[in-house]
Amino acid sequence: MKTVQIKTLIFTTLIALVLSSCTKSSDIAYPTLKKVYFSETFDYNTTDASPNALPSGWTSYAEIGAKLWSKSVYPPPAFPVTKGDGYATFSAYGSGDGANVSWLISPSIDVDQHEGESLSFQTCHDSYVKNTSNSLEVYISKDYTGNFGTAHWTKINYIGTLVWPYTKAYKYVNSGAIDLSLYKGTINFAFKYTGINPSTGAYQVDNVAIVY
């Protein structure tokens, strides 16, 4: 998040460099899953093209401003490590734009494959998220084919909305189960970041899953 990671850092040699950290997603009591149809942890492996590249199928679209979502890994692979705990992240910090609206769009998901599917994920924000001009929202599209401008997006309400001051900084929040039973065919879901300077806080997304 920004250039400063917000995952918990355990390595004592780097404690002096850490300004803040999110509670590790592994420390959160996550809802018990039945059968997993789709999942994404954003973790890093040496086979990845880049530690900061989004996983295959995931895309970012800058609706306002030019900055895009990316993946971050803790600890950074430069240590070196063969894998690391990753997450998708966005911050308007350093963008140079008066406003940023950037979308993290999932791969296409065929929701006709199973019955009773639901979407869940974890999200976190840092202490620079101080008002509703810096927010994270979730949308679903039934007609996204790669062209953002021609797609229609529906906002999804979910538990644990991370708009200040309803959740604490640096704490992962579970979304709860978002029912997908009303959707048919192929869908894409997306995380929409909005940041208006000088509110330049960062958000993280992790442990995305569709279960049935």
Side-chain angles (χ1 to χ4, degrees):
M1 305 177 66
K2 306 181 180 177
T3 56
V4 179
Q5 307 291 344
I6 64 168
K7 288 278 184 167
T8 303
L9 181 58
I10 301 176
F11 297 96
T12 56
T13 57
L14 296 179
I15 288 178
L17 299 179
V18 178
L19 300 179
S20 59
S21 61
C22 275
T23 302
K24 292 177 66 177
S25 53
S26 59
D27 295 337
I28 301 295
Y30 206 53
T32 301
L33 305 181
K34 295 182 179 180
K35 295 181 180 179
V36 178
Y37 172 42
F38 171 86
S39 66
E40 182 57 68
T41 63
F42 299 100
D43 288 346
Y44 170 74
N45 291 284
T46 53
T47 56
D48 293 349
S50 165
N52 300 117
L54 293 174
S56 177
W58 289 82
T59 59
S60 183
Y61 175 78
E63 184 179 10
I64 298 176
K67 198 168 183 181
L68 300 172
W69 283 78
S70 63
K71 185 179 74 175
S72 288
V73 179
Y74 229 75
F79 277 49
V81 294
T82 57
K83 64 184 300 182
D85 187 14
Y87 49 91
T89 183
F90 189 96
S91 171
Y93 178 78
S95 70
D97 299 314
N100 290 91
V101 177
S102 189
W103 296 67
L104 174 65
I105 304 172
S106 78
S108 297
I109 307 294
D110 183 356
V111 292
D112 289 342
Q113 295 297 309
H114 305 283
E115 297 291 335
E117 292 153 320
S118 63
L119 168 68
S120 62
F121 49 85
Q122 294 179 313
T123 42
C124 175
H125 67 79
D126 68 11
S127 61
Y128 292 91
V129 176
K130 298 181 181 296
N131 55 60
T132 55
S133 67
N134 199 175
S135 62
L136 183 69
E137 299 170 309
V138 179
Y139 288 77
I140 288 182
S141 175
K142 297 185 292 183
D143 61 358
Y144 175 76
T145 58
N147 186 336
F148 182 88
T150 61
H152 299 84
W153 296 91
T154 301
K155 183 178 176 180
I156 303 299
N157 294 318
Y158 64 96
I159 299 171
T161 302
L162 287 173
V163 176
W164 179 94
Y166 301 109
T167 56
K168 295 181 180 179
Y170 311 118
K171 297 294 182 181
Y172 270 99
V173 176
N174 295 327
S175 66
I178 299 170
D179 185 15
L180 299 179
S181 62
L182 295 179
Y183 296 93
K184 303 296 181 183
T186 299
I187 66 167
N188 295 79
F189 56 91
F191 299 91
K192 177 186 177 182
Y193 172 98
T194 300
I196 300 176
N197 285 322
S199 179
T200 57
Y203 282 93
Q204 291 180 187
V205 174
D206 203 358
N207 295 325
V208 179
I210 294 178
V211 301
Y212 64 99

